[in-house]
Each structure stands twice: as structure tokens, then as C-alpha cells.
Short mmCIF file of all heavy atoms in Angstrom, two decimals:
data_model
loop_
_atom_site.label_atom_id
_atom_site.label_comp_id
_atom_site.label_asym_id
_atom_site.label_seq_id
_atom_site.Cartn_x
_atom_site.Cartn_y
_atom_site.Cartn_z
N ALA A 1 0.84 -15.49 -18.38
CA ALA A 1 2.10 -15.19 -19.08
C ALA A 1 2.24 -13.71 -19.43
O ALA A 1 3.31 -13.28 -19.88
CB ALA A 1 2.21 -16.03 -20.36
N GLY A 2 1.17 -12.92 -19.27
CA GLY A 2 1.22 -11.51 -19.65
C GLY A 2 2.12 -10.68 -18.74
O GLY A 2 2.24 -10.95 -17.54
N PRO A 3 2.75 -9.63 -19.31
CA PRO A 3 3.66 -8.79 -18.52
C PRO A 3 3.03 -8.13 -17.31
O PRO A 3 3.71 -7.86 -16.32
CB PRO A 3 4.12 -7.73 -19.54
CG PRO A 3 3.95 -8.36 -20.86
CD PRO A 3 2.73 -9.25 -20.73
N LEU A 4 1.71 -7.86 -17.37
CA LEU A 4 1.06 -7.22 -16.22
C LEU A 4 0.57 -8.21 -15.18
O LEU A 4 -0.03 -7.84 -14.18
CB LEU A 4 -0.14 -6.38 -16.71
CG LEU A 4 0.19 -5.19 -17.60
CD1 LEU A 4 -1.07 -4.43 -17.94
CD2 LEU A 4 1.21 -4.27 -16.91
N HIS A 5 0.85 -9.50 -15.40
CA HIS A 5 0.38 -10.51 -14.44
C HIS A 5 1.57 -11.33 -13.94
O HIS A 5 2.34 -10.90 -13.09
CB HIS A 5 -0.69 -11.37 -15.11
CG HIS A 5 -1.49 -12.19 -14.17
ND1 HIS A 5 -1.44 -12.06 -12.78
CD2 HIS A 5 -2.41 -13.21 -14.40
CE1 HIS A 5 -2.28 -12.92 -12.21
NE2 HIS A 5 -2.85 -13.61 -13.17
N GLY A 6 1.78 -12.50 -14.47
CA GLY A 6 2.79 -13.40 -13.93
C GLY A 6 4.23 -13.02 -14.18
O GLY A 6 5.14 -13.50 -13.51
N LEU A 7 4.49 -12.17 -15.16
CA LEU A 7 5.85 -11.75 -15.47
C LEU A 7 6.38 -10.70 -14.51
O LEU A 7 7.54 -10.29 -14.64
CB LEU A 7 5.97 -11.24 -16.91
CG LEU A 7 5.85 -12.29 -18.03
CD1 LEU A 7 6.14 -11.63 -19.36
CD2 LEU A 7 6.82 -13.43 -17.81
N ALA A 8 5.54 -10.22 -13.59
CA ALA A 8 5.95 -9.12 -12.75
C ALA A 8 7.17 -9.41 -11.91
O ALA A 8 8.04 -8.54 -11.74
CB ALA A 8 4.78 -8.74 -11.83
N ASN A 9 7.31 -10.65 -11.39
CA ASN A 9 8.46 -10.95 -10.55
C ASN A 9 9.76 -10.92 -11.38
O ASN A 9 10.83 -10.58 -10.88
CB ASN A 9 8.32 -12.30 -9.83
CG ASN A 9 8.03 -13.44 -10.75
OD1 ASN A 9 8.08 -13.31 -11.97
ND2 ASN A 9 7.74 -14.59 -10.17
N GLN A 10 9.66 -11.28 -12.66
CA GLN A 10 10.81 -11.21 -13.56
C GLN A 10 11.21 -9.74 -13.80
O GLN A 10 12.39 -9.41 -13.80
CB GLN A 10 10.44 -11.85 -14.88
CG GLN A 10 11.58 -11.97 -15.89
CD GLN A 10 11.18 -12.74 -17.13
OE1 GLN A 10 10.34 -13.64 -17.08
NE2 GLN A 10 11.72 -12.37 -18.27
N GLU A 11 10.20 -8.86 -13.93
CA GLU A 11 10.49 -7.45 -14.15
C GLU A 11 11.12 -6.81 -12.92
O GLU A 11 11.94 -5.90 -13.03
CB GLU A 11 9.21 -6.73 -14.52
CG GLU A 11 8.66 -7.15 -15.88
CD GLU A 11 7.44 -6.34 -16.30
OE1 GLU A 11 6.83 -5.68 -15.41
OE2 GLU A 11 7.11 -6.34 -17.49
N VAL A 12 10.75 -7.30 -11.72
CA VAL A 12 11.39 -6.80 -10.49
C VAL A 12 12.87 -7.10 -10.52
O VAL A 12 13.71 -6.25 -10.19
CB VAL A 12 10.74 -7.46 -9.25
CG1 VAL A 12 11.57 -7.15 -8.01
CG2 VAL A 12 9.32 -6.96 -9.08
N LEU A 13 13.26 -8.33 -10.92
CA LEU A 13 14.66 -8.71 -10.97
C LEU A 13 15.44 -7.87 -11.99
O LEU A 13 16.58 -7.48 -11.77
CB LEU A 13 14.81 -10.19 -11.31
CG LEU A 13 14.67 -11.17 -10.14
CD1 LEU A 13 14.79 -12.60 -10.64
CD2 LEU A 13 15.74 -10.90 -9.08
N VAL A 14 14.83 -7.61 -13.14
CA VAL A 14 15.48 -6.78 -14.14
C VAL A 14 15.75 -5.38 -13.57
O VAL A 14 16.85 -4.83 -13.74
CB VAL A 14 14.58 -6.67 -15.42
CG1 VAL A 14 15.17 -5.62 -16.38
CG2 VAL A 14 14.50 -8.02 -16.09
N TRP A 15 14.75 -4.82 -12.87
CA TRP A 15 14.90 -3.48 -12.28
C TRP A 15 15.96 -3.51 -11.18
O TRP A 15 16.81 -2.58 -11.11
CB TRP A 15 13.57 -3.03 -11.71
CG TRP A 15 13.52 -1.63 -11.23
CD1 TRP A 15 13.39 -0.50 -11.99
CD2 TRP A 15 13.64 -1.17 -9.87
NE1 TRP A 15 13.40 0.62 -11.20
CE2 TRP A 15 13.56 0.23 -9.91
CE3 TRP A 15 13.80 -1.83 -8.65
CZ2 TRP A 15 13.63 1.00 -8.75
CZ3 TRP A 15 13.88 -1.05 -7.51
CH2 TRP A 15 13.81 0.34 -7.54
N LEU A 16 15.98 -4.55 -10.35
CA LEU A 16 16.98 -4.65 -9.27
C LEU A 16 18.39 -4.79 -9.86
O LEU A 16 19.34 -4.20 -9.36
CB LEU A 16 16.68 -5.84 -8.38
CG LEU A 16 15.48 -5.72 -7.43
CD1 LEU A 16 15.23 -7.06 -6.73
CD2 LEU A 16 15.74 -4.63 -6.40
N THR A 17 18.51 -5.57 -10.93
CA THR A 17 19.81 -5.77 -11.57
C THR A 17 20.31 -4.44 -12.15
O THR A 17 21.50 -4.12 -12.02
CB THR A 17 19.71 -6.83 -12.68
OG1 THR A 17 19.26 -8.07 -12.12
CG2 THR A 17 21.05 -7.03 -13.38
N ASN A 18 19.43 -3.69 -12.75
CA ASN A 18 19.79 -2.38 -13.29
C ASN A 18 20.24 -1.45 -12.19
O ASN A 18 21.23 -0.73 -12.32
CB ASN A 18 18.59 -1.80 -14.04
CG ASN A 18 18.93 -0.50 -14.78
OD1 ASN A 18 20.07 -0.35 -15.23
ND2 ASN A 18 17.97 0.37 -14.90
N LEU A 19 19.52 -1.52 -11.07
CA LEU A 19 19.89 -0.68 -9.90
C LEU A 19 21.28 -1.03 -9.39
O LEU A 19 22.11 -0.14 -9.15
CB LEU A 19 18.84 -0.86 -8.80
CG LEU A 19 18.84 0.08 -7.60
CD1 LEU A 19 17.50 0.05 -6.89
CD2 LEU A 19 19.95 -0.27 -6.58
N ARG A 20 21.54 -2.33 -9.25
CA ARG A 20 22.85 -2.78 -8.72
C ARG A 20 23.97 -2.42 -9.68
O ARG A 20 25.09 -2.07 -9.24
CB ARG A 20 22.83 -4.29 -8.48
CG ARG A 20 21.85 -4.73 -7.40
CD ARG A 20 21.84 -6.25 -7.26
NE ARG A 20 22.95 -6.72 -6.46
CZ ARG A 20 23.23 -8.01 -6.28
NH1 ARG A 20 22.46 -8.92 -6.84
NH2 ARG A 20 24.24 -8.38 -5.52
N ASN A 21 23.72 -2.54 -10.97
CA ASN A 21 24.76 -2.21 -11.97
C ASN A 21 25.12 -0.73 -11.94
O ASN A 21 26.30 -0.38 -12.17
CB ASN A 21 24.29 -2.62 -13.37
CG ASN A 21 24.23 -4.12 -13.56
OD1 ASN A 21 24.88 -4.88 -12.82
ND2 ASN A 21 23.48 -4.56 -14.53
N LYS A 22 24.15 0.11 -11.65
CA LYS A 22 24.39 1.55 -11.66
C LYS A 22 24.91 2.10 -10.35
O LYS A 22 25.69 3.04 -10.32
CB LYS A 22 23.10 2.29 -12.06
CG LYS A 22 22.71 2.09 -13.52
CD LYS A 22 21.53 2.97 -13.91
CE LYS A 22 21.23 2.84 -15.38
NZ LYS A 22 20.08 3.68 -15.80
N ILE A 23 24.46 1.48 -9.24
CA ILE A 23 24.77 2.05 -7.94
C ILE A 23 25.61 1.09 -7.05
O ILE A 23 26.43 1.51 -6.25
CB ILE A 23 23.48 2.43 -7.15
CG1 ILE A 23 22.62 3.37 -7.98
CG2 ILE A 23 23.83 3.10 -5.84
CD1 ILE A 23 21.29 3.72 -7.34
N GLY A 24 25.40 -0.21 -7.23
CA GLY A 24 26.10 -1.18 -6.40
C GLY A 24 25.22 -1.64 -5.24
O GLY A 24 24.06 -1.23 -5.12
N ASP A 25 25.78 -2.49 -4.36
CA ASP A 25 25.01 -3.03 -3.25
C ASP A 25 25.07 -2.11 -2.01
O ASP A 25 24.09 -2.05 -1.27
CB ASP A 25 25.56 -4.42 -2.88
CG ASP A 25 25.23 -5.47 -3.91
OD1 ASP A 25 24.12 -5.37 -4.48
OD2 ASP A 25 26.04 -6.36 -4.18
N ASN A 26 26.19 -1.46 -1.81
CA ASN A 26 26.32 -0.63 -0.61
C ASN A 26 25.76 0.78 -0.86
O ASN A 26 26.49 1.78 -0.94
CB ASN A 26 27.79 -0.54 -0.20
CG ASN A 26 28.36 -1.90 0.17
OD1 ASN A 26 27.68 -2.69 0.86
ND2 ASN A 26 29.56 -2.21 -0.30
N VAL A 27 24.46 0.82 -1.01
CA VAL A 27 23.82 2.09 -1.38
C VAL A 27 23.26 2.78 -0.14
O VAL A 27 22.90 2.14 0.84
CB VAL A 27 22.68 1.85 -2.39
CG1 VAL A 27 23.23 1.29 -3.69
CG2 VAL A 27 21.62 0.92 -1.82
N THR A 28 23.16 4.10 -0.22
CA THR A 28 22.54 4.86 0.85
C THR A 28 21.08 5.06 0.51
O THR A 28 20.66 4.87 -0.63
CB THR A 28 23.24 6.22 0.98
OG1 THR A 28 23.00 6.99 -0.21
CG2 THR A 28 24.75 6.05 1.21
N GLU A 29 20.31 5.50 1.50
CA GLU A 29 18.89 5.76 1.27
C GLU A 29 18.73 6.89 0.26
O GLU A 29 17.79 6.88 -0.54
CB GLU A 29 18.20 6.09 2.58
CG GLU A 29 17.97 4.87 3.47
CD GLU A 29 16.96 5.12 4.57
OE1 GLU A 29 16.37 6.24 4.59
OE2 GLU A 29 16.73 4.21 5.37
N GLU A 30 19.62 7.87 0.30
CA GLU A 30 19.53 9.01 -0.63
C GLU A 30 19.75 8.54 -2.05
O GLU A 30 19.08 9.01 -2.99
CB GLU A 30 20.52 10.12 -0.23
CG GLU A 30 20.13 10.89 1.02
CD GLU A 30 18.72 11.48 0.90
OE1 GLU A 30 18.44 12.10 -0.15
OE2 GLU A 30 17.95 11.36 1.88
N GLN A 31 20.72 7.64 -2.24
CA GLN A 31 20.99 7.11 -3.58
C GLN A 31 19.76 6.34 -4.10
O GLN A 31 19.41 6.45 -5.28
CB GLN A 31 22.20 6.22 -3.56
CG GLN A 31 23.53 6.95 -3.43
CD GLN A 31 24.70 6.01 -3.33
OE1 GLN A 31 24.70 5.08 -2.51
NE2 GLN A 31 25.70 6.21 -4.17
N LEU A 32 19.15 5.58 -3.21
CA LEU A 32 17.95 4.81 -3.61
C LEU A 32 16.81 5.74 -3.96
O LEU A 32 16.12 5.54 -4.96
CB LEU A 32 17.53 3.88 -2.47
CG LEU A 32 18.34 2.59 -2.28
CD1 LEU A 32 17.82 1.79 -1.10
CD2 LEU A 32 18.33 1.73 -3.54
N LYS A 33 16.63 6.79 -3.15
CA LYS A 33 15.56 7.73 -3.45
C LYS A 33 15.75 8.39 -4.80
O LYS A 33 14.79 8.55 -5.57
CB LYS A 33 15.51 8.82 -2.35
CG LYS A 33 14.97 8.33 -1.02
CD LYS A 33 14.98 9.46 0.01
CE LYS A 33 14.47 8.94 1.37
NZ LYS A 33 14.53 10.03 2.39
N ASP A 34 17.00 8.78 -5.11
CA ASP A 34 17.28 9.40 -6.39
C ASP A 34 16.97 8.44 -7.54
O ASP A 34 16.40 8.83 -8.55
CB ASP A 34 18.75 9.84 -6.46
CG ASP A 34 19.05 11.02 -5.58
OD1 ASP A 34 18.08 11.73 -5.20
OD2 ASP A 34 20.23 11.24 -5.23
N PHE A 35 17.36 7.16 -7.37
CA PHE A 35 17.14 6.18 -8.42
C PHE A 35 15.64 5.94 -8.62
O PHE A 35 15.17 5.82 -9.77
CB PHE A 35 17.83 4.86 -8.06
CG PHE A 35 17.82 3.84 -9.17
CD1 PHE A 35 18.78 3.82 -10.17
CD2 PHE A 35 16.80 2.88 -9.26
CE1 PHE A 35 18.76 2.93 -11.19
CE2 PHE A 35 16.76 1.96 -10.27
CZ PHE A 35 17.76 1.97 -11.25
N ILE A 36 14.92 5.87 -7.53
CA ILE A 36 13.46 5.64 -7.60
C ILE A 36 12.77 6.84 -8.28
O ILE A 36 11.92 6.64 -9.16
CB ILE A 36 12.88 5.40 -6.21
CG1 ILE A 36 13.44 4.11 -5.62
CG2 ILE A 36 11.35 5.34 -6.24
CD1 ILE A 36 13.24 3.97 -4.13
N TRP A 37 13.15 8.05 -7.87
CA TRP A 37 12.55 9.24 -8.49
C TRP A 37 12.88 9.32 -9.99
O TRP A 37 12.03 9.69 -10.80
CB TRP A 37 13.04 10.51 -7.79
CG TRP A 37 12.23 10.90 -6.60
CD1 TRP A 37 12.66 10.93 -5.30
CD2 TRP A 37 10.86 11.28 -6.57
NE1 TRP A 37 11.66 11.31 -4.46
CE2 TRP A 37 10.53 11.53 -5.21
CE3 TRP A 37 9.89 11.40 -7.54
CZ2 TRP A 37 9.26 11.93 -4.81
CZ3 TRP A 37 8.60 11.81 -7.14
CH2 TRP A 37 8.28 12.07 -5.82
N ASN A 38 14.08 8.94 -10.38
CA ASN A 38 14.45 8.92 -11.79
C ASN A 38 13.61 7.91 -12.54
O ASN A 38 13.23 8.15 -13.70
CB ASN A 38 15.95 8.61 -11.94
CG ASN A 38 16.83 9.76 -11.52
OD1 ASN A 38 16.41 10.93 -11.55
ND2 ASN A 38 18.06 9.46 -11.13
#
């Protein structure tokens, strides 16, 4: 149940949702790179 173990897949979804809310689905590789670097 710890965040560094089984909760990881949940954290992936939170991060993906944040990405989609800020950039959308039709993203370019450059936009993704900027988001990842940030």
C-alpha cells in the first residue's frame, strides 16, 4: 500500500491527467519534452 510500491500505477494516472489537462491529447514531442523537463 506504500506510495513507493503498489501506489505507483495510481501516481502515473495522476501525472498523465495533469499532463492532459495542461497540454491536451494532440501533443507534439517538443511539448512533451518541455513538460517532462519541467
Side-chain angles (χ1 to χ4, degrees):
L4 295 182
H5 195 9
L7 288 186
N9 55 7
Q10 185 175 328
E11 293 185 343
V12 169
L13 276 179
V14 171
W15 188 80
L16 287 173
T17 300
N18 187 31
L19 191 160
R20 295 178 80 185
N21 290 339
K22 289 187 176 181
I23 305 177
D25 289 324
N26 298 317
V27 296
T28 65
E29 286 196 3
E30 287 305 313
Q31 287 176 309
L32 283 179
K33 288 179 182 178
D34 289 340
F35 188 86
I36 295 163
W37 274 115
N38 288 334

